[in-house]
Amino acid sequence: MAKFPKDFLWGGATAANQFEGGWNENGKGVSASDVATRGSRTKPRYVTYQTSDGEIHADLMFGLDVPEDAKFGCFEGYDYPSHQGIDFYHRYKEDIALFAEMGFKTFRMSINWTRIFPTGMEEEPNEKGLEFYDDVFDELLKYDIKPLVTISHYETPVGLTNAWGAWADARTIDCFARLVNVLANRYKGKVEYWLTFNEINCLSFGGWLAAGVPSKDPQKIAMAGKHQFLASAKAVKILHEVDANNKVGCMIGYTPLYPHTCHPDDVLKNWQANNKNYFYSDVQARGYYPSYKLKEYEQAGIDIHLTEEEKQLLKEGTVDFVSFSYYMTSTTSADPEVLANAGGNMMFGVNNPHLKASDWGWQIDPVGCRMACNFMWERYQKPLMIVENGIGTQDQLIEENGQKVCHDQAHIDYLRQHIQAMSDAINIDGVELWGYTPWGCIDLVSAGTGEMHKRYGFIYVDFQDDGSGEGNRYKKDSFYWYKKVIASNGEDLD
Ligand code: BGP
């Protein structure tokens, strides 16, 4: 039977750019996600910009690499899914009431940086933006739901990119620190749980979403990482100074990798590939650059110019807890023939022949979830939170006995197995896990593809990929199931 600690934080997770909508209301500026077009399972997302000759361009979002004179923005004739999101901006009361009905103890959301500082560079914050989050937090607290706030979730202001290349430039650190100062003081007593950067390690897949850096240059990516580490350390210090109750975590997108075979070359390659993820949490949780990374930089001719003062800041600004998203595992191989025929678990490696996959090719592995908890716990000995987990499916809203219903058994099956795995990690292995917020607890726009119809939610949102629909909310079967799970503190998973 599954068992969880008494005050385990059950909840759900979202991000501003994927569900708020209201993209240009009440003084909001334009963020990195606002200039990303809608894609699909078969069509990639693009990012739009203009060059100094007046030409408008749309280039692939993953691996974006543009000319120096590019100025990012939104242009006529392109479809940008963040602009509508699921309209949480206007419907937050209705949505929070539904989260409360499920019994949420916490709700993960992000602050859209550009609501507070529209270009990232203003001296004074936008009061209307601050008021919106006051209203959201008050509404959550009314139901005893603790906000878990991601400060930066793919929402770097394009103002910063257009000015100096966003996180590739050290000036962004001060802009971020100003944001954190404002948030810490304004929401003191309302927010206690914070995450600095969402999936900071996705910088290694490209700089756009994670950092507003439109370049693949490894030197620039390394500098963006360093600037985010320093900004994260500053954020930890600011949040602790303003309120000693604040708990601040790092967040990585965690796809644990298995060696494709037990051949030592595969095992070595796998260790190296896993380090690509760990590097980020190593710095944020341990407070220094790991030796394997410094050597890699040295061999690649990358110089991050780390000063003694910066090293000291990293040491002083380590996080209180470690959080991660967990959707799947994947495998790595050193064998060129295997790699050539890999098929691939999407962009994440070589298919594991022992696992089934979602319609988007993400391989389902609850055992990997238990191991992910253990790997993180062993490595850092800090409390953990799984702040994203779930499976995207093509749910259908159907009419039964005059009612609209959605039988999303695949969500229930996936979540049940993963909750059991977390329970095993806690009770059999001794991991300290504080909470669990499954991703997209209400259907929202996919980050990877920009679609609506890759649905994770307990709540169906009637918006379709072509922008049609009323945006009405309907409870899926998983809504009632998760309510029961929370009410029994994880014991009743049937
Ligand atoms: C993570 C992001 C989320 C979220 C999730 C699911 O990488 O932190 O923002 O979207 O993945 O991915 P997708 O939306 O592509 O299905």
Side-chain angles (χ1 to χ4, degrees), residues 61 140 224 250 280 294 334 377:
M61 181 177 81
L140 289 166
C250 59
Y280 292 88
L294 292 173
W377 172 244

Side-chain angles (χ1 to χ4, degrees), residues 302-342:
I302 293 171
D303 187 351
I304 55 164
H305 318 284
L306 198 60
T307 65
E308 287 310 312
E309 206 184 316
E310 289 170 344
K311 284 186 189 165
Q312 186 60 27
L313 175 58
L314 293 179
K315 211 181 274 171
E316 289 168 4
T318 54
V319 290
D320 304 312
F321 67 96
V322 171
S323 81
F324 56 91
S325 60
Y326 175 84
Y327 292 94
M328 64 191 136
T329 53
S330 191
T331 81
T332 48
S333 170
D335 181 343
E337 236 175 84
V338 173
L339 289 174
N341 303 310

Side-chain angles (χ1 to χ4, degrees), residues 193-232:
Y193 291 92
W194 303 86
L195 303 175
T196 53
F197 291 92
N198 179 66
E199 296 194 336
I200 186 166
N201 59 315
C202 70
L203 260 180
S204 41
F205 300 121
W208 185 251
L209 270 189
V213 176
S215 167
K216 286 199 283 201
D217 175 2
Q219 174 70 34
K220 281 195 182 159
I221 297 291
M223 292 310 284
K226 177 183 135 175
H227 297 145
Q228 293 197 335
F229 290 143
L230 295 171
S232 172

Side-chain angles (χ1 to χ4, degrees), residues 385-413:
M385 281 208 216
I386 298 184
V387 293
E388 286 185 30
N389 173 241
I391 182 168
T393 53
Q394 310 185 54
D395 300 343
Q396 302 301 328
L397 189 66
I398 55 169
E399 187 117 2
E400 262 177 26
N401 308 320
Q403 282 218 326
K404 293 212 166 129
V405 294
C406 177
H407 301 309
D408 60 332
Q409 191 59 35
H411 288 153
I412 298 176
D413 293 342

Side-chain angles (χ1 to χ4, degrees), residues 14-15 17-18 62 108 153-154 198-199 202 251 253 325 327 348 360 362 388 392 439-440 444-451 454 456:
T14 57
N17 73 86
Q18 290 168 258
F62 290 110
R108 178 177 175 224
H153 193 137
Y154 306 156
N198 179 66
E199 296 194 336
C202 70
M251 193 307 193
S325 60
Y327 292 94
F348 301 104
W360 279 262
W362 293 21
E388 286 185 30
W439 176 250
L444 39 63
V445 173
S446 157
T449 64
E451 297 161 286
K454 186 180 187 188
Y456 290 85

